[in-house]
Amino acid sequence: MATVGDVLREVLPSGTVCLAGQVALSRPTISAVVLRLRGSFADLAPGAVALINLEQLRQLPARPSLPQAIDALGRVGVAAIAVRGRVESNELPVACRLAQRWSSVLLQLPDSKEGAVSLVEAKVNTYLWSGRAAVRGGMRDLLAEGGDT
């Protein structure tokens, strides 16, 4: 199974930065899901990569902060949270602590066209659901078991 680190190295756009939770890069991941305008993540499950456009997050009626969103996502068990947009400087330390508390990776996507959350969602899911991720994960599992036949 592919890990958050695999997705970071193989799929996420150049310029993506790991803000917190580097120790969780080895967590397996199953899908990517974008926060929708109605304030929900369709099909969010433990092990997912949650993708948040911060501009859209701030437009939700409840106006949740990034730390509030990370806390809620951590309770679900997401493997990673990737954000696009400007993170408020007063929110960053709390957001990083919460990501680490929930053993999630916190990623900052670039503001380039390649960093658009819908595009990232499609690319990550294509990668995860293709044979490439399965083969890479299987090879890593084989090597971890000491199988070098």
Side-chain angles (χ1 to χ4, degrees):
M1 179 174 281
T3 66
V4 175
D6 293 333
V7 169
L8 177 60
R9 282 186 304 279
E10 303 284 332
V11 185
L12 295 182
S14 176
T16 299
V17 177
C18 185
L19 300 174
Q22 289 85 346
V23 297
L25 286 169
S26 61
R27 281 190 67 183
T29 187
I30 57 166
S31 65
V33 181
V34 172
L35 174 69
R36 303 293 176 207
L37 282 176
R38 63 183 181 279
S40 68
F41 286 92
D43 303 321
L44 186 65
V49 175
L51 302 164
I52 301 173
N53 180 320
L54 293 175
E55 194 173 301
Q56 290 180 348
L57 179 71
R58 293 179 183 120
Q59 292 175 7
L60 295 175
R63 297 207 184 273
S65 67
L66 178 58
Q68 288 171 324
I70 290 171
D71 194 44
L73 292 166
R75 291 176 195 279
V76 173
V78 298
I81 301 155
V83 298
R84 181 174 192 226
R86 187 173 61 83
V87 177
E88 300 292 337
S89 60
N90 63 327
E91 291 183 339
L92 186 58
V94 177
C96 290
R97 278 195 303 276
L98 285 168
Q100 290 173 327
R101 172 181 167 202
W102 292 111
S103 299
S104 295
V105 179
L106 179 59
L107 301 164
Q108 173 78 58
L109 297 169
D111 282 330
S112 65
K113 181 174 75 172
E114 293 79 21
V117 292
S118 58
L119 180 61
V120 171
E121 178 185 40
K123 287 184 174 185
V124 170
N125 285 332
T126 298
Y127 172 77
L128 291 173
W129 299 336
S130 73
R132 289 181 294 170
V135 168
R136 183 170 301 282
M139 287 298 294
R140 184 179 40 257
D141 294 346
L142 181 65
L143 292 173
E145 293 169 8
D148 57 352
T149 57

